[in-house]
Amino acid sequence: MTQNILISVFSLSFLIVAWHRFNLSLFFLFLLLPAYLIRFSIEPLPTTLLEVMIGIIIFIWIIRNWKLETTQQSQPLISSFKFLVSKSPSLSIAILLFLTAATISIFTSINIRSALGEWKAFYIEPFLIFLIVVIEGTKNKEQNAKNNLLTNLQTYKLTNLIIFALILCGLATSILAIYQHFTGWMVPWAFWANGASYRVTAWYGFPNGVGLFLAPLIPLAIFLFIQNFSVLQERNWKLETGNWGRWLSLVSSFLFLVSSPFAILFAKSTGGLIGAAAGIGAPLVLWKKTRWPTLAIGLASLLVLALLPMNKPIKQELLMQDRSGQIRINMWGETTELLRANPLTGAGLASYSKRIAPYHHPINGNDNIEIFHHPHNIFLTMWVNLGILGLIGFVWMIVWFYRVGLTE
């Protein structure tokens, strides 16, 4: 009862914020991403607090942008998609393929109800939020000579606000993870009791969630730090009203860059650590002043790794020779077998763990392991969930992102 009252009060407050300060509601949405862990039901529909926030934002945005023309009624979402198509037809085709594949995969699923839940939460809602951010960002953009979607997005005040919200969320996650390392607070017993594991989980309930969330934020934090550092340097580091937001953003991004590697380390997320290293190294390689020193350090690190004895745990883990690596290799092999049998449709949404069962086998014939919910590889995950069409759309979006980001 108390939870329902608190959720109702929060939802009403968020509705008011979205109506009067729409950009601020987007800030809170990205700040409170872990709100998906607060689950409840609006009978008979299961949902989360994050989905309620997304629903409020979409509803308010449509109401605020509805236009009645003299001849016809123009719907904001349709006109917004037309805007996206006109700005970037290549990206639009990729998104269309991706969402079409997700919709088809509902009907190839074992459980259509569960598939509909994934379709809504993992595909449709994120796309609608992306569309809203692009449109709202366009309204607030600064003048830019290049009419390129990604280039313009980098100048939007709204985009900087969202990045700041993500960094604050990442900072809170890092602080919690570091605190858990010394106290065990909120860590599931399976990860805390075993001295060989002793892995923190932050809000997520599993250690890899820490690395999956924090590592991609590192390049954004570097961008935010450099941007605010340059602006404050031009303003002679004055502590005045117009600079407080810059100072707060600078300090937050710096603290995140310091704390997040420790959080990922305490989660013992090897993939997260590699991602963090890549997130730090990639901007340094792209910047001409640091390119060659960074490449030299990277090559030296690879050489040191190559010279380490094979019995060193870090080398075994990176080369996937330890138990965790063997489990992943085994899992990928099973998934490949499933995809050979179903190359076009994959397993369907919310169906992997059941459809992989006939292909599941022990490691070395005697070490049985559990069936996981996904194959722990982003490309295999897309293929088994969405089929080959969804994989094509996903890869297309990634190629578009790097092509635009590195060439425009």
Side-chain angles (χ1 to χ4, degrees), residues 26 35 48 64 72 91 96 125 171 207 221 339 360:
L26 288 171
T48 68
R64 286 167 57 96
Q72 62 180 358
L91 176 63
L96 183 61
E125 290 174 352
L171 178 59
L339 290 170
H360 184 62

Side-chain angles (χ1 to χ4, degrees), residues 189-344:
W189 187 248
F191 297 109
W192 179 251
N194 184 352
S197 296
Y198 199 72
R199 304 172 68 187
V200 301
T201 60
W203 336 88
Y204 305 108
F206 63 101
N208 286 335
V210 177
L212 287 170
F213 181 61
L214 296 182
L217 296 182
I218 289 177
L220 296 179
I222 293 173
F223 163 76
L224 202 65
F225 179 83
I226 292 174
Q227 182 191 65
N228 288 290
F229 185 92
S230 300
V231 171
L232 289 171
Q233 189 177 41
E234 290 176 359
R235 297 177 182 178
N236 297 318
W237 306 99
K238 292 181 180 178
L239 290 172
E240 54 189 23
T241 304
N243 287 343
W244 281 115
R246 296 282 182 181
W247 273 105
L248 182 59
S249 184
L250 179 76
V251 172
S252 299
S253 55
F254 173 77
L255 291 175
F256 172 79
L257 289 171
V258 172
S259 60
S260 58
F262 286 102
I264 298 172
L265 179 65
F266 294 152
K268 296 185 178 179
S269 173
T270 305
L273 289 172
I274 294 173
I280 295 171
L284 295 177
V285 170
L286 293 174
W287 193 27
K288 291 182 179 179
K289 293 182 179 180
T290 57
R291 178 174 300 165
W292 294 111
T294 304
L295 288 174
I297 293 172
L299 290 173
S301 301
L302 290 175
L303 181 61
V304 170
L305 177 63
L307 294 175
L308 284 175
M310 196 60 214
N311 61 353
K312 291 293 184 180
I314 186 172
K315 188 169 183 176
Q316 289 184 343
E317 189 167 2
L318 291 174
L319 296 180
M320 308 191 74
Q321 298 299 309
D322 62 348
R323 175 175 167 78
S324 177
Q326 292 301 302
I327 290 174
R328 278 174 167 77
I329 292 173
N330 189 68
M331 194 187 315
W332 298 339
E334 295 170 351
T335 305
T336 302
E337 291 180 35
L338 169 63
L339 290 170
R340 284 199 189 103
N342 304 275
L344 296 180

Side-chain angles (χ1 to χ4, degrees), residues 32-47:
L32 300 175
L33 285 180
Y36 80 89
L37 295 167
I38 302 176
R39 297 181 171 91
F40 54 96
S41 294
I42 303 175
E43 295 298 341
L45 180 67
T47 188

Side-chain angles (χ1 to χ4, degrees), residues 330-394:
N330 189 68
M331 194 187 315
W332 298 339
E334 295 170 351
T335 305
T336 302
E337 291 180 35
L338 169 63
L339 290 170
R340 284 199 189 103
N342 304 275
L344 296 180
T345 61
L349 289 178
S351 301
Y352 172 78
S353 58
K354 290 185 179 179
R355 286 204 163 129
I356 197 65
Y359 306 92
H360 184 62
H361 49 78
I363 297 178
N364 300 323
N366 55 17
D367 188 6
N368 198 22
I369 57 172
E370 64 180 296
I371 294 178
F372 295 93
H373 295 293
H374 56 86
H376 284 74
N377 177 284
I378 188 65
F379 298 103
L380 289 177
T381 297
M382 291 300 168
W383 197 346
V384 295
N385 284 337
L386 306 180
I388 191 66
L389 186 66
L391 178 64
I392 292 171
F394 178 70

Side-chain angles (χ1 to χ4, degrees), residues 89-282:
S90 177
L91 176 63
S92 302
I93 294 171
I95 291 173
L96 183 61
L97 286 176
F98 189 69
L99 295 181
T100 300
T103 304
I104 293 172
S105 294
I106 295 172
F107 304 101
T108 61
S109 170
I110 292 175
N111 188 325
I112 290 183
R113 178 183 172 88
S114 298
L116 281 169
E118 282 200 6
W119 178 78
K120 171 175 63 73
F122 294 167
Y123 302 96
I124 300 303
E125 290 174 352
F127 168 68
L128 293 178
I129 292 298
F130 164 75
L131 201 59
I132 289 172
V133 168
V134 170
I135 300 304
E136 290 301 309
T138 303
K139 294 177 182 178
N140 300 312
K141 71 178 181 180
E142 300 172 358
Q143 293 298 322
N144 194 301
K146 294 183 178 180
N147 191 25
N148 174 274
L149 183 61
L150 184 61
T151 304
N152 283 341
L153 275 175
Q154 292 174 347
T155 68
Y156 300 161
K157 294 178 181 178
L158 176 60
T159 304
N160 291 338
L161 190 69
I162 290 173
I163 293 175
F164 181 39
L166 287 170
I167 298 308
L168 287 177
C169 184
L171 178 59
T173 302
S174 299
I175 292 172
L176 173 59
I178 293 171
Y179 180 73
Q180 286 180 329
H181 177 70
F182 296 102
T183 65
W185 184 57
M186 283 179 57
V187 178
W189 187 248
F191 297 109
W192 179 251
N194 184 352
S197 296
Y198 199 72
R199 304 172 68 187
V200 301
T201 60
W203 336 88
Y204 305 108
F206 63 101
N208 286 335
V210 177
L212 287 170
F213 181 61
L214 296 182
L217 296 182
I218 289 177
L220 296 179
I222 293 173
F223 163 76
L224 202 65
F225 179 83
I226 292 174
Q227 182 191 65
N228 288 290
F229 185 92
S230 300
V231 171
L232 289 171
Q233 189 177 41
E234 290 176 359
R235 297 177 182 178
N236 297 318
W237 306 99
K238 292 181 180 178
L239 290 172
E240 54 189 23
T241 304
N243 287 343
W244 281 115
R246 296 282 182 181
W247 273 105
L248 182 59
S249 184
L250 179 76
V251 172
S252 299
S253 55
F254 173 77
L255 291 175
F256 172 79
L257 289 171
V258 172
S259 60
S260 58
F262 286 102
I264 298 172
L265 179 65
F266 294 152
K268 296 185 178 179
S269 173
T270 305
L273 289 172
I274 294 173
I280 295 171

Side-chain angles (χ1 to χ4, degrees), residues 34-69:
Y36 80 89
L37 295 167
I38 302 176
R39 297 181 171 91
F40 54 96
S41 294
I42 303 175
E43 295 298 341
L45 180 67
T47 188
T48 68
L49 187 59
L50 184 66
E51 281 196 313
V52 169
M53 295 167 68
I54 291 173
I56 289 172
I57 284 175
I58 294 171
F59 172 74
I60 294 297
W61 186 80
I62 291 175
I63 295 298
R64 286 167 57 96
N65 288 274
W66 199 275
K67 295 180 180 179
L68 293 176
E69 299 180 354

Side-chain angles (χ1 to χ4, degrees), residues 72-94:
Q72 62 180 358
Q73 208 171 46
S74 176
Q75 298 183 25
L77 288 175
I78 295 176
S79 60
S80 298
F81 190 74
K82 290 179 179 178
F83 168 83
L84 181 62
V85 171
S86 66
K87 290 295 182 182
S88 182
S90 177
L91 176 63
S92 302
I93 294 171

